[in-house]
Amino acid sequence: MSTSNKSAATVIARAAKAAFEASQLIASSERVQALHELRNELASAKEDILAANRRDLEAAQQEVNAGHMSSSLLKRLDLNKGDKWESMLQGVIDVANLPDPTGIVTYASELDDDLELYRVSCPIGVLLVIFEARPEVVVNIAALAIKSGNAAILKGGKESNETSQLLSKAIQSALSKTSIPSTYIQAIQTRAEVSALLELDQYIDLVIPRGSNSLVRNIQNSTRIPVMGHADGLCSVFLDETADLDKAVRVVLDSKTDYPAACNAAETLIVHEKVLSTVWPAVAKALLDADVHLLCDSPTISALQSLSPAPAKLTSHVRTSTLDSYTTEHLSLTLSVIALPSLSDAIRFINSHSSHHTDCIVTEDPAAASAFCRGVDSAGTFVNASTRFADGFRFGFGTEVGISTGRIHARGPVGLEGLVTYKYMLRSKGEKGHIVGEFGTGDGQKRYKHTNIEAKTVPFLE
Amino acid sequence: MSTSNKSAATVIARAAKAAFEASQLIASSERVQALHELRNELASAKEDILAANRRDLEAAQQEVNAGHMSSSLLKRLDLNKGDKWESMLQGVIDVANLPDPTGIVTYASELDDDLELYRVSCPIGVLLVIFEARPEVVVNIAALAIKSGNAAILKGGKESNETSQLLSKAIQSALSKTSIPSTYIQAIQTRAEVSALLELDQYIDLVIPRGSNSLVRNIQNSTRIPVMGHADGLCSVFLDETADLDKAVRVVLDSKTDYPAACNAAETLIVHEKVLSTVWPAVAKALLDADVHLLCDSPTISALQSLSPAPAKLTSHVRTSTLDSYTTEHLSLTLSVIALPSLSDAIRFINSHSSHHTDCIVTEDPAAASAFCRGVDSAGTFVNASTRFADGFRFGFGTEVGISTGRIHARGPVGLEGLVTYKYMLRSKGEKGHIVGEFGTGDGQKRYKHTNIEAKTVPFLE
């Protein structure tokens, strides 16, 4: 780490923390106003932003032509595709209209006469958000940070540099029309800055990486700051012995093929041995018809080979699996398949092979559903429903910060709630203030009351 | 790290994870039963345990005589002092009687007809708890882990080794009378095992260090596993310009002297310049009378020197502070004092010098109280109440896992709630199961309902 990178990063991180602290005394209505200003700034700067985006796209096209970039990455750069621009603007307003996640009392207790304790939600502090390619994420994340009261430092992919710079300019302009400090949202450009920032745990409170497995893993391995997100999305579907055939076909097909590159797509199918010759062949045929490649263990491949007539694409699309198949996130039309003799074997297999993201059972047996949901140690345990439902918007959160496979703080699809923590406020209204020395078990000493207080907000906050 | 330590640690960690996973299918009533068994096992083994404790004490006495151990550490070892033994047993029953923190629905929504989403609290997984000296912590932490459904690996101080081994034996006996695996709670003896375990983030989900600043800091610096707790307890009291003199004296004195070695004792006093000649002298006199040593900046020392008559102990107990004074956790009858010109200066000073544990304002001005509580970025912000109230028992949690200065997951005094996370369970009751491919904005596509469900528990869990 060069000294200049480190000192530049320290300046940025300190400014972010100072902006966060200063913002705590600003009414949350100003944050909502900032979001409306942001939408307007973006609308006014549309021509310039889309021109910058075209320059990014042209540069990216040359990278694709030279074989240095994938065409799918190129597509994600385009801010003018379909309704992406309008969605981005609407997204800012949607976030503005969500309920304020801060200032909510989640525990309140009268410890003694005139001594009131409130646990109240509040922002976390300074977020460092690192993402790839899609430039609209700058706006999306900035909106979430502003709404939740967190300062943020954003690092986008270098491919979208020109676009991101103008988006950041619009964010700055919007903030300048409010009393929120302009350093509340800062954009950085280089990986060296990221590396330096990842060391500054005294200023940065949470890192949110959104991007490839390797991006997330690298970040997790190089910082003491808590990281929210997921590296792998190794989801599985288990066909229980009582699985309904139609449900099995529909749920497996949707989980695998609805959007194979998503983290909530299924990568592994577990077949109960008792349905190898009943449910499995129909599921396999549907998968093969949908052009899915299957990596099968010996029992599941045999079950297909013994069919007459043999399923189409059996020779072209079905291969023998290896041990690695069951820990591989294919992110494509490939599915690993294994047969197991029981529900409890399936639960153990999932707990030791899945990435604890989302796992599904197809079953008609309520006891099996219950055991699966309790026994599978994942952020999502689903019954007869596609793994693809694991998503903040589908869950009804209004927005999604990301999906976390950690067990600490936020787990699964994370909405605005994942961007707040809480603090305890204790107020004495007593004539002499309150001291602990007066409480105890002895004669003449006070006892704690611990009487529940019904309150949604803290009454003494202005 | 030697290979043998690493492989021994892996065996322990794997067994803990397997025990955790197996325990998810066991009814929570068994966990309560295990706690009652534990109390009975301890009662039956009382003689043996106290004999082992006497051996630990004798060995410790020799260490104290040789100057290798402090006598305060020795005192903490004694399991037979006062009502410590009975409190330990009662503590187990108290934890057993607390409400179950798992299985509680905190969000439930109907995404579509017959498609129900539940966010339900569940244990985190495997805890690694590292503590010093006090042997009763073994029992205390084991009880919390069992109650909350987490497996735990416990490492106590080597000073209490003989006692801890018998306490662990009692825990094992208690578990063996239930269907909870005996490896659910494991005790380890050596630091080498701890070091090896801190690397096993695939098996261990949360580290809880309870002990000295250096213990916590070392652990935070040597693991990727989330750590819950606090290194420093640098709490402060701010005497605002409207501070009431009596409240100021009472709150400062209690915050500093009620138990100076505690993490929630005040280490810094900030005096508004406007009360330097009014409130501050009385507070200083009370502190000096209580034998507190003061490290003062120039304005606060001058204010005392100009008094006539000079306060007692002015020459013996008052010294000039240095910059380091304001980042030092004295843990003794020493207090750092500084004068500042405004509330906002005090807030900035606290945010940059305190350890974000607990800070207090003494004020009669509601606007100042509100600004302080919002602006000070600490787990606890108190008004006219001693910092010593920052404690799980005083807050009414029934028990305390520890106090966290982190902003992620649990913050401030942590009760049983800090030992649970949540997972999302999604169940389709639909005739064909549920797939995302049917939802969209197009004609003939389904829209999400997102209708709130009133539920305290998940109806389909057995």
Side-chain angles (χ1 to χ4, degrees), chain A residues 121-141:
Chain A
S121 67
C122 62
I124 292 173
V126 177
L127 315 177
L128 172 61
V129 188
I130 301 152
F131 48 95
E132 292 172 330
R134 296 186 300 136
E136 71 273 21
V137 176
V138 177
V139 172
N140 182 7
I141 296 283

Side-chain angles (χ1 to χ4, degrees), chain A residues 57 59-77 132-133 159:
Chain A
L57 281 168
Q61 186 61 57
Q62 292 182 7
E63 293 290 301
V64 172
N65 296 346
H68 300 145
M69 190 189 285
S70 71
S71 53
S72 67
L73 184 63
L74 175 77
K75 277 184 207 148
R76 273 179 276 161
L77 277 180
E132 292 172 330
E159 309 79 19

Side-chain angles (χ1 to χ4, degrees), chain A residues 223-245:
Chain A
T223 186
R224 282 178 52 193
I225 307 169
V227 178
M228 184 162 79
H230 66 280
D232 301 298
L234 258 166
C235 304
S236 55
V237 179
F238 169 55
L239 304 181
D240 186 37
E241 59 179 313
T242 65
D244 174 84
L245 192 144

Side-chain angles (χ1 to χ4, degrees), chain A residues 8-158:
Chain A
T10 305
V11 169
I12 292 167
R14 253 196 209 139
K17 191 65 142 188
F20 165 68
E21 290 172 356
S23 74
Q24 296 309 292
L25 295 176
I26 297 171
S28 68
S29 56
E30 291 244 359
R31 303 203 305 261
V32 172
Q33 188 207 327
L35 294 177
H36 288 280
E37 301 287 357
L38 173 55
R39 192 222 159 267
N40 296 341
E41 290 291 331
L42 291 169
S44 327
K46 180 176 179 183
E47 292 307 310
D48 289 349
I49 294 169
L50 291 181
N53 190 232
R54 279 191 296 276
R55 292 195 295 278
D56 279 336
L57 281 168
E58 281 156 23
Q61 186 61 57
Q62 292 182 7
E63 293 290 301
V64 172
N65 296 346
H68 300 145
M69 190 189 285
S70 71
S71 53
S72 67
L73 184 63
L74 175 77
K75 277 184 207 148
R76 273 179 276 161
L77 277 180
D78 190 350
L79 207 53
N80 203 23
K81 202 181 68 174
D83 62 353
K84 216 188 222 183
W85 176 265
E86 287 306 325
S87 301
M88 182 177 81
L89 263 57
Q90 185 56 45
V92 175
I93 300 304
D94 289 347
V95 168
N97 290 338
L98 286 172
D100 187 353
T102 68
I104 299 166
V105 169
T106 55
Y107 179 88
S109 174
E110 196 176 41
L111 307 190
D112 183 29
D113 292 339
D114 295 325
L115 183 62
E116 297 169 356
L117 177 71
Y118 297 90
R119 181 171 70 197
V120 55
S121 67
C122 62
I124 292 173
V126 177
L127 315 177
L128 172 61
V129 188
I130 301 152
F131 48 95
E132 292 172 330
R134 296 186 300 136
E136 71 273 21
V137 176
V138 177
V139 172
N140 182 7
I141 296 283
L144 293 170
I146 292 170
K147 178 73 186 183
S148 59
N150 292 284
I153 301 168
L154 312 177
K155 161 75 172 72
K158 65 177 187 314

Side-chain angles (χ1 to χ4, degrees), chain A residues 124 221 224 250 254 370 373 376 379 381 383 394 407 411 421-424 426 432 437-438 450 462, chain B residues 124 221 224 250 254 370 373 376 379 381 383 394 407 411 422-424 426 432 437-438 450 462:
Chain A
I124 292 173
N221 285 331
R224 282 178 52 193
R250 278 164 49 85
D254 191 82
S370 171
C373 285
V376 168
T381 52
V383 180
R394 291 178 189 135
R407 292 124 193 278
R411 194 181 195 195
T421 178
Y422 55 80
K423 65 205 283 190
Y424 287 96
L426 179 69
K432 301 191 291 174
E438 295 178 335
H450 296 146
E462 300 205 319
Chain B
I124 291 172
N221 285 330
R224 282 178 51 192
R250 278 164 48 86
D254 191 81
S370 171
C373 286
V376 169
T381 52
V383 180
R394 291 180 189 133
R407 293 123 192 278
R411 194 182 195 194
Y422 55 80
K423 65 205 286 191
Y424 286 96
L426 179 69
K432 301 191 290 176
E438 295 178 335
H450 296 147
E462 300 205 319

